[in-house]
Amino acid sequence: MFPLSRPRRLRQHPVLRDLVRETTLSAADFILPLFVRPGKGIKKEITSMPGNFQLSVDRLIDEVGAAMDLKVNAFIFFGIPSGKDAVGSSAWAEDGIVQQALRAVKAAHPGAYLITDECFCEYTDHGHCGILTEHQGRLDVDNDLTLPNLARQCVSHARAGADMVAPSGMMDGMVATIRHELDNAGFTRVPIMSYAAKYASGFYGPFRDAAESPPQFGDRNTYQMDPANSNEAMREVELDVKEGADVIMVKPALSYLDIIRRVKDRFQVPTAAYNVSGEFAMVKAAAAKGWIDEKRVALEILTSIKRAGADMILTYFALDAARWLK
Ligand code: PBG
């Protein structure tokens, strides 16, 4: 008796395997995160994120050019400002570090698509994602006081040339406030990518070193989501879609593939996933020890994120992957 069906028949020839492949990756799927800092001629490697750097504006221009040669054309900028204060006012300064970067990179590479992360943890001296006020005897980020500043930061970035803004602070009502203020300022064409389902995750560790943004006390549990929750992510995404978000993000990616899939199935909106710093660092560290095959594992991870439903992936592997996929 022969088996009635033989799935292995479709796996016999590499050309056939290409023909039946359901998920494909290309450089056009990736958004490369870049860290910009004041100074000149600075390209300082981030120890826990090999191949990623803190860059001064002049070196940032070079890095964007090198990425575009590999057909990676989308970038998200994080700023490391020269000064921090309690409210993070350098985030909306006309000559702020991200504003300078936007103008310079736009001038040098008009074809680059520039997204800006919109948050305050890099700009406040306490490292929290907004203004702190006291609530029941402890300091907490004040949602409604933070919203106008967030909108100011976004408008300032749009004025400096941002193609898209990406609020990451998990404030309630942030998308509606930003949309309103962008429209008022004439930026009706600038889309919002909302970090809609952003979890309070241990996987952000290396990023906080890179962006010099760890909270100086406490944690982010009163604004970022509990990793145990999935229905709550649906409510977060639904609100952001209603408020006018153009792209929805799930973050981190790898431990949240189920969330990506649920969001995609339920809302059918453009969906981004953030393959975060800790996910990247784990692969790099194991590969450096010779315990895993880096290229194979990284491409498997990126494929799984796309297969789960992501239309685009923010990833520190963007340049490596673009090279491997060539
Ligand atoms: C907040 C922000 C964080 C990341 C992106 N935007 C850090 C945090 O919430 O503490 C993390 C990204 C990563 O780990 O790669 N501005």
Side-chain angles (χ1 to χ4, degrees):
M1 187 51 184
F2 295 117
L4 283 177
S5 179
R6 289 186 187 268
R8 289 187 55 197
R9 267 199 286 263
L10 293 176
R11 298 179 198 138
Q12 298 305 308
H13 196 289
V15 173
L16 182 55
R17 288 198 294 273
D18 283 348
L19 287 169
V20 300
R21 181 161 303 117
E22 298 174 42
T23 308
T24 53
L25 276 179
S26 83
D29 297 324
F30 305 139
I31 299 169
L32 175 66
L34 291 171
F35 301 94
V36 59
R37 62 170 304 142
K40 240 188 154 29
I42 298 172
K43 183 170 184 178
K44 188 173 153 216
E45 187 161 54
I46 300 155
T47 315
S48 51
M49 299 169 70
N52 288 266
F53 306 87
Q54 291 185 348
L55 300 157
S56 53
V57 172
D58 55 328
R59 304 300 293 269
L60 177 74
I61 292 173
D62 300 342
E63 189 75 2
V64 167
M68 291 177 78
D69 290 342
L70 291 165
K71 300 202 159 50
V72 173
N73 296 315
F75 306 90
I76 183 164
F77 287 176
F78 295 92
I80 302 147
S82 47
K84 306 190 184 208
D85 61 24
V87 296
S89 58
S90 55
W92 62 78
E94 273 315 299
D95 62 347
I97 185 64
V98 169
Q99 287 82 348
Q100 290 178 37
L102 288 164
R103 288 193 196 95
V105 174
K106 267 285 150 185
H109 303 293
Y113 194 82
L114 306 183
I115 305 169
T116 46
D117 183 79
E118 307 291 346
C119 191
F120 293 105
C121 53
E122 295 116 81
Y123 301 92
T124 53
D125 47 20
H126 45 72
H128 280 284
C129 301
I131 294 178
L132 297 176
T133 52
E134 201 174 305
H135 175 70
Q136 296 180 341
R138 59 174 179 76
L139 289 170
D140 187 25
V141 174
D142 190 308
N143 194 86
D144 298 7
L145 283 181
T146 300
L147 289 178
N149 286 353
L150 203 48
R152 251 174 116 173
Q153 183 186 24
C154 291
V155 170
S156 168
H157 287 163
R159 221 175 261 135
D163 293 297
M164 182 188 273
V165 295
S168 69
M170 289 297 280
M171 294 302 118
D172 296 335
M174 65 183 186
V175 174
T177 306
I178 291 166
R179 184 71 274 155
H180 185 74
E181 293 305 323
L182 281 176
D183 291 352
N184 268 342
F187 296 108
T188 54
R189 285 188 174 85
V190 172
I192 299 173
M193 172 161 71
S194 179
Y195 287 66
K198 176 176 178 179
Y199 287 87
S201 170
F203 287 101
Y204 306 150
F207 172 95
R208 291 177 186 175
D209 292 338
E212 301 178 5
S213 65
Q216 297 303 305
F217 63 89
D219 52 39
R220 305 210 201 287
N221 292 344
T222 66
Y223 41 105
Q224 298 181 350
M225 282 183 55
D226 182 341
N229 295 352
S230 170
N231 292 330
E232 187 185 345
M234 300 306 108
R235 298 197 293 276
E236 283 278 10
V237 170
E238 186 171 12
L239 284 170
D240 284 3
V241 170
K242 279 191 182 139
E243 290 179 24
D246 301 280
V247 180
I248 286 298
M249 192 200 297
V250 175
K251 176 182 171 190
L254 205 43
S255 292
Y256 300 88
L257 294 175
D258 57 325
I259 309 296
I260 297 171
R261 171 48 60 193
R262 259 190 105 181
V263 166
K264 192 66 196 181
D265 283 347
R266 175 138 160 198
F267 298 99
Q268 280 136 32
V269 293
T271 302
Y274 202 139
N275 176 216
V276 301
S277 57
E279 300 174 301
F280 173 82
M282 288 193 305
V283 175
K284 285 285 179 187
K289 286 199 172 268
W291 292 347
I292 55 169
D293 174 340
E294 180 185 352
K295 172 180 169 182
R296 195 170 166 191
V297 168
L299 291 177
E300 187 173 336
I301 287 172
L302 294 169
T303 301
S304 75
I305 296 169
K306 231 187 142 194
R307 191 196 63 229
D311 300 292
M312 61 197 95
I313 307 172
L314 296 89
T315 179
Y316 305 97
F317 280 119
L319 301 185
D320 287 335
R323 260 180 232 114
W324 293 326
L325 292 167
K326 267 223 289 222

Short mmCIF file of all heavy atoms in Angstrom, two decimals, residues 132-175:
data_model
loop_
_atom_site.label_atom_id
_atom_site.label_comp_id
_atom_site.label_asym_id
_atom_site.label_seq_id
_atom_site.Cartn_x
_atom_site.Cartn_y
_atom_site.Cartn_z
N LEU A 132 7.23 63.33 34.14
CA LEU A 132 6.87 62.61 35.36
C LEU A 132 6.06 63.50 36.30
O LEU A 132 6.39 64.66 36.50
CB LEU A 132 8.13 62.14 36.09
CG LEU A 132 9.02 61.14 35.34
CD1 LEU A 132 10.28 60.85 36.17
CD2 LEU A 132 8.26 59.84 35.06
N THR A 133 5.00 62.94 36.85
CA THR A 133 4.29 63.60 37.97
C THR A 133 4.05 62.53 39.03
O THR A 133 4.14 61.33 38.76
CB THR A 133 2.94 64.22 37.53
OG1 THR A 133 2.16 63.22 36.86
CG2 THR A 133 3.14 65.41 36.60
N GLU A 134 3.73 63.01 40.23
CA GLU A 134 3.54 62.07 41.32
C GLU A 134 2.12 61.52 41.31
O GLU A 134 1.16 62.24 41.11
CB GLU A 134 3.83 62.75 42.66
CG GLU A 134 4.15 61.75 43.74
CD GLU A 134 4.58 62.42 45.04
OE1 GLU A 134 5.53 63.21 45.01
OE2 GLU A 134 3.93 62.14 46.07
N HIS A 135 2.03 60.22 41.47
CA HIS A 135 0.72 59.58 41.56
C HIS A 135 0.79 58.55 42.68
O HIS A 135 1.62 57.65 42.65
CB HIS A 135 0.39 58.90 40.23
CG HIS A 135 -0.88 58.11 40.26
ND1 HIS A 135 -2.13 58.70 40.34
CD2 HIS A 135 -1.10 56.78 40.21
CE1 HIS A 135 -3.05 57.76 40.37
NE2 HIS A 135 -2.47 56.58 40.28
N GLN A 136 -0.07 58.72 43.68
CA GLN A 136 -0.10 57.81 44.83
C GLN A 136 1.30 57.55 45.40
O GLN A 136 1.71 56.41 45.59
CB GLN A 136 -0.78 56.49 44.46
CG GLN A 136 -2.25 56.72 44.10
CD GLN A 136 -2.98 55.44 43.72
OE1 GLN A 136 -2.38 54.43 43.39
NE2 GLN A 136 -4.31 55.50 43.77
N GLY A 137 2.01 58.64 45.61
CA GLY A 137 3.29 58.55 46.29
C GLY A 137 4.46 58.10 45.44
O GLY A 137 5.57 57.92 45.95
N ARG A 138 4.27 57.89 44.13
CA ARG A 138 5.43 57.56 43.30
C ARG A 138 5.34 58.32 41.98
O ARG A 138 4.26 58.76 41.56
CB ARG A 138 5.51 56.05 43.05
CG ARG A 138 4.29 55.51 42.36
CD ARG A 138 4.41 54.04 41.97
NE ARG A 138 3.15 53.64 41.32
CZ ARG A 138 2.83 53.96 40.08
NH1 ARG A 138 3.65 54.67 39.32
NH2 ARG A 138 1.66 53.59 39.57
N LEU A 139 6.50 58.45 41.35
CA LEU A 139 6.55 59.18 40.09
C LEU A 139 6.13 58.27 38.95
O LEU A 139 6.52 57.11 38.88
CB LEU A 139 7.98 59.70 39.85
CG LEU A 139 8.42 60.84 40.76
CD1 LEU A 139 9.92 61.09 40.60
CD2 LEU A 139 7.62 62.12 40.48
N ASP A 140 5.32 58.83 38.03
CA ASP A 140 4.86 58.05 36.88
C ASP A 140 4.78 58.99 35.67
O ASP A 140 4.60 60.20 35.83
CB ASP A 140 3.48 57.44 37.18
CG ASP A 140 3.03 56.47 36.09
OD1 ASP A 140 3.90 55.90 35.39
OD2 ASP A 140 1.81 56.28 35.94
N VAL A 141 4.91 58.42 34.48
CA VAL A 141 4.77 59.26 33.28
C VAL A 141 3.33 59.76 33.20
O VAL A 141 2.38 58.97 33.24
CB VAL A 141 5.15 58.47 32.01
CG1 VAL A 141 4.86 59.30 30.77
CG2 VAL A 141 6.62 58.09 32.05
N ASP A 142 3.20 61.09 33.08
CA ASP A 142 1.88 61.71 32.98
C ASP A 142 1.46 61.70 31.51
O ASP A 142 2.03 62.40 30.67
CB ASP A 142 1.97 63.15 33.52
CG ASP A 142 0.59 63.76 33.67
OD1 ASP A 142 -0.19 63.73 32.69
OD2 ASP A 142 0.28 64.25 34.77
N ASN A 143 0.46 60.90 31.24
CA ASN A 143 0.01 60.69 29.86
C ASN A 143 -0.34 62.00 29.16
O ASN A 143 0.22 62.35 28.11
CB ASN A 143 -1.22 59.78 29.88
CG ASN A 143 -1.56 59.21 28.52
OD1 ASN A 143 -1.03 58.18 28.13
ND2 ASN A 143 -2.44 59.87 27.79
N ASP A 144 -1.26 62.76 29.77
CA ASP A 144 -1.83 63.90 29.06
C ASP A 144 -0.90 65.10 29.00
O ASP A 144 -1.01 65.92 28.08
CB ASP A 144 -3.19 64.28 29.68
CG ASP A 144 -4.20 63.13 29.55
OD1 ASP A 144 -3.78 62.03 29.10
OD2 ASP A 144 -5.37 63.33 29.88
N LEU A 145 0.03 65.19 29.95
CA LEU A 145 1.03 66.26 29.86
C LEU A 145 2.07 65.93 28.78
O LEU A 145 2.67 66.82 28.19
CB LEU A 145 1.76 66.43 31.20
CG LEU A 145 1.04 67.17 32.33
CD1 LEU A 145 1.94 67.26 33.56
CD2 LEU A 145 0.63 68.57 31.88
N THR A 146 2.28 64.65 28.54
CA THR A 146 3.30 64.22 27.57
C THR A 146 2.80 64.38 26.13
O THR A 146 3.59 64.67 25.22
CB THR A 146 3.70 62.76 27.85
OG1 THR A 146 4.25 62.68 29.18
CG2 THR A 146 4.74 62.25 26.87
N LEU A 147 1.49 64.22 25.92
CA LEU A 147 0.96 64.23 24.54
C LEU A 147 1.32 65.47 23.73
O LEU A 147 1.79 65.33 22.58
CB LEU A 147 -0.57 64.04 24.56
CG LEU A 147 -1.06 62.64 24.94
CD1 LEU A 147 -2.59 62.60 24.96
CD2 LEU A 147 -0.53 61.58 23.97
N PRO A 148 1.12 66.69 24.26
CA PRO A 148 1.45 67.86 23.43
C PRO A 148 2.94 67.91 23.05
O PRO A 148 3.28 68.33 21.93
CB PRO A 148 1.09 69.06 24.31
CG PRO A 148 0.40 68.53 25.50
CD PRO A 148 0.54 67.06 25.55
N ASN A 149 3.81 67.47 23.95
CA ASN A 149 5.24 67.46 23.64
C ASN A 149 5.57 66.46 22.53
O ASN A 149 6.40 66.71 21.66
CB ASN A 149 6.06 67.13 24.88
CG ASN A 149 6.11 68.28 25.86
OD1 ASN A 149 5.63 69.37 25.55
ND2 ASN A 149 6.65 68.03 27.04
N LEU A 150 4.88 65.34 22.58
CA LEU A 150 5.06 64.32 21.55
C LEU A 150 4.67 64.89 20.18
O LEU A 150 5.38 64.70 19.18
CB LEU A 150 4.18 63.13 21.93
CG LEU A 150 4.49 61.75 21.40
CD1 LEU A 150 5.95 61.38 21.58
CD2 LEU A 150 3.60 60.73 22.12
N ALA A 151 3.56 65.60 20.15
CA ALA A 151 3.11 66.20 18.89
C ALA A 151 4.12 67.25 18.42
O ALA A 151 4.41 67.35 17.22
CB ALA A 151 1.73 66.82 19.06
N ARG A 152 4.67 68.01 19.36
CA ARG A 152 5.67 69.02 19.02
C ARG A 152 6.90 68.39 18.40
O ARG A 152 7.48 68.89 17.44
CB ARG A 152 6.12 69.72 20.31
CG ARG A 152 5.64 71.13 20.44
CD ARG A 152 6.02 71.63 21.80
NE ARG A 152 6.96 72.73 21.70
CZ ARG A 152 7.36 73.44 22.75
NH1 ARG A 152 6.91 73.17 23.95
NH2 ARG A 152 8.19 74.44 22.58
N GLN A 153 7.32 67.28 19.01
CA GLN A 153 8.49 66.55 18.48
C GLN A 153 8.21 66.08 17.04
O GLN A 153 9.04 66.25 16.15
CB GLN A 153 8.79 65.35 19.39
CG GLN A 153 10.02 64.54 19.00
CD GLN A 153 10.19 63.28 19.86
OE1 GLN A 153 9.23 62.76 20.42
NE2 GLN A 153 11.42 62.82 19.98
N CYS A 154 7.02 65.53 16.83
CA CYS A 154 6.66 65.01 15.49
C CYS A 154 6.63 66.13 14.46
O CYS A 154 7.16 65.97 13.35
CB CYS A 154 5.30 64.33 15.52
SG CYS A 154 5.29 62.80 16.45
N VAL A 155 6.01 67.25 14.81
CA VAL A 155 5.91 68.36 13.85
C VAL A 155 7.31 68.89 13.53
O VAL A 155 7.63 69.17 12.38
CB VAL A 155 4.98 69.47 14.40
CG1 VAL A 155 5.06 70.73 13.54
CG2 VAL A 155 3.55 68.96 14.48
N SER A 156 8.14 68.97 14.55
CA SER A 156 9.51 69.44 14.35
C SER A 156 10.28 68.50 13.42
O SER A 156 11.01 68.94 12.53
CB SER A 156 10.19 69.55 15.72
OG SER A 156 11.56 69.72 15.58
N HIS A 157 10.09 67.21 13.59
CA HIS A 157 10.74 66.24 12.70
C HIS A 157 10.19 66.33 11.28
O HIS A 157 10.95 66.26 10.30
CB HIS A 157 10.57 64.81 13.25
CG HIS A 157 11.40 64.53 14.46
ND1 HIS A 157 11.17 63.46 15.31
CD2 HIS A 157 12.49 65.17 14.99
CE1 HIS A 157 12.07 63.47 16.29
NE2 HIS A 157 12.86 64.49 16.12
N ALA A 158 8.88 66.49 11.17
CA ALA A 158 8.28 66.60 9.83
C ALA A 158 8.83 67.84 9.12
O ALA A 158 9.18 67.80 7.93
CB ALA A 158 6.75 66.68 9.94
N ARG A 159 8.95 68.92 9.86
CA ARG A 159 9.49 70.16 9.29
C ARG A 159 10.93 69.96 8.82
O ARG A 159 11.37 70.54 7.83
CB ARG A 159 9.47 71.24 10.37
CG ARG A 159 9.03 72.58 9.84
CD ARG A 159 8.90 73.60 10.95
NE ARG A 159 7.54 73.77 11.38
CZ ARG A 159 7.13 73.83 12.66
NH1 ARG A 159 7.99 73.71 13.64
NH2 ARG A 159 5.86 73.99 12.92
N ALA A 160 11.67 69.12 9.51
CA ALA A 160 13.07 68.88 9.15
C ALA A 160 13.21 67.83 8.03
O ALA A 160 14.32 67.55 7.58
CB ALA A 160 13.86 68.44 10.38
N GLY A 161 12.07 67.25 7.62
CA GLY A 161 12.13 66.34 6.48
C GLY A 161 11.75 64.90 6.73
O GLY A 161 11.90 64.06 5.84
N ALA A 162 11.27 64.57 7.92
CA ALA A 162 10.86 63.17 8.18
C ALA A 162 9.76 62.77 7.21
O ALA A 162 8.81 63.51 6.99
CB ALA A 162 10.38 63.02 9.62
N ASP A 163 9.90 61.58 6.63
CA ASP A 163 8.86 61.06 5.73
C ASP A 163 7.74 60.41 6.50
O ASP A 163 6.61 60.34 6.02
CB ASP A 163 9.47 60.02 4.78
CG ASP A 163 10.46 60.66 3.83
OD1 ASP A 163 10.05 61.50 3.03
OD2 ASP A 163 11.66 60.31 3.90
N MET A 164 8.03 59.89 7.69
CA MET A 164 7.04 59.19 8.50
C MET A 164 7.44 59.35 9.96
O MET A 164 8.64 59.40 10.26
CB MET A 164 7.00 57.70 8.12
CG MET A 164 5.98 56.86 8.88
SD MET A 164 6.15 55.08 8.54
CE MET A 164 5.16 54.88 7.08
N VAL A 165 6.46 59.43 10.85
CA VAL A 165 6.80 59.51 12.28
C VAL A 165 6.32 58.23 12.98
O VAL A 165 5.29 57.66 12.61
CB VAL A 165 6.19 60.76 12.96
CG1 VAL A 165 6.79 62.03 12.38
CG2 VAL A 165 4.67 60.77 12.87
N ALA A 166 7.08 57.80 13.97
CA ALA A 166 6.77 56.54 14.65
C ALA A 166 6.79 56.72 16.17
O ALA A 166 7.84 56.59 16.81
CB ALA A 166 7.78 55.47 14.23
N PRO A 167 5.64 57.08 16.75
CA PRO A 167 5.59 57.25 18.20
C PRO A 167 5.73 55.92 18.93
O PRO A 167 5.02 54.96 18.64
CB PRO A 167 4.21 57.88 18.45
CG PRO A 167 3.38 57.51 17.25
CD PRO A 167 4.35 57.36 16.11
N SER A 168 6.68 55.90 19.90
CA SER A 168 6.98 54.62 20.54
C SER A 168 6.74 54.64 22.05
O SER A 168 7.08 53.69 22.74
CB SER A 168 8.43 54.22 20.26
OG SER A 168 9.33 55.07 20.92
N GLY A 169 6.16 55.71 22.55
CA GLY A 169 6.06 55.85 24.00
C GLY A 169 4.89 55.17 24.67
O GLY A 169 4.78 55.18 25.89
N MET A 170 3.97 54.60 23.88
CA MET A 170 2.80 53.91 24.43
C MET A 170 1.91 54.83 25.29
O MET A 170 1.32 54.38 26.28
CB MET A 170 3.21 52.67 25.23
CG MET A 170 3.73 51.53 24.39
SD MET A 170 2.53 50.85 23.23
CE MET A 170 1.54 49.78 24.29
N MET A 171 1.79 56.11 24.88
CA MET A 171 0.84 56.98 25.57
C MET A 171 -0.55 56.79 24.97
O MET A 171 -0.70 56.67 23.75
CB MET A 171 1.27 58.46 25.41
CG MET A 171 2.58 58.82 26.08
SD MET A 171 2.60 58.49 27.86
CE MET A 171 3.92 57.26 27.97
N ASP A 172 -1.57 56.81 25.81
CA ASP A 172 -2.94 56.70 25.30
C ASP A 172 -3.28 57.97 24.52
O ASP A 172 -2.99 59.08 24.97
CB ASP A 172 -3.93 56.57 26.48
CG ASP A 172 -3.71 55.28 27.26
OD1 ASP A 172 -3.17 54.31 26.68
OD2 ASP A 172 -4.07 55.25 28.45
N GLY A 173 -3.88 57.80 23.36
CA GLY A 173 -4.31 58.95 22.56
C GLY A 173 -3.20 59.59 21.75
O GLY A 173 -3.41 60.62 21.12
N MET A 174 -2.02 58.96 21.72
CA MET A 174 -0.89 59.62 21.04
C MET A 174 -1.12 59.76 19.54
O MET A 174 -0.77 60.78 18.95
CB MET A 174 0.44 58.91 21.34
CG MET A 174 0.58 57.49 20.82
SD MET A 174 2.16 56.75 21.33
CE MET A 174 2.10 55.19 20.44
N VAL A 175 -1.74 58.75 18.93
CA VAL A 175 -1.91 58.82 17.47
C VAL A 175 -2.86 59.95 17.10
O VAL A 175 -2.58 60.76 16.19
CB VAL A 175 -2.39 57.46 16.90
CG1 VAL A 175 -2.69 57.58 15.41
CG2 VAL A 175 -1.33 56.39 17.14
#
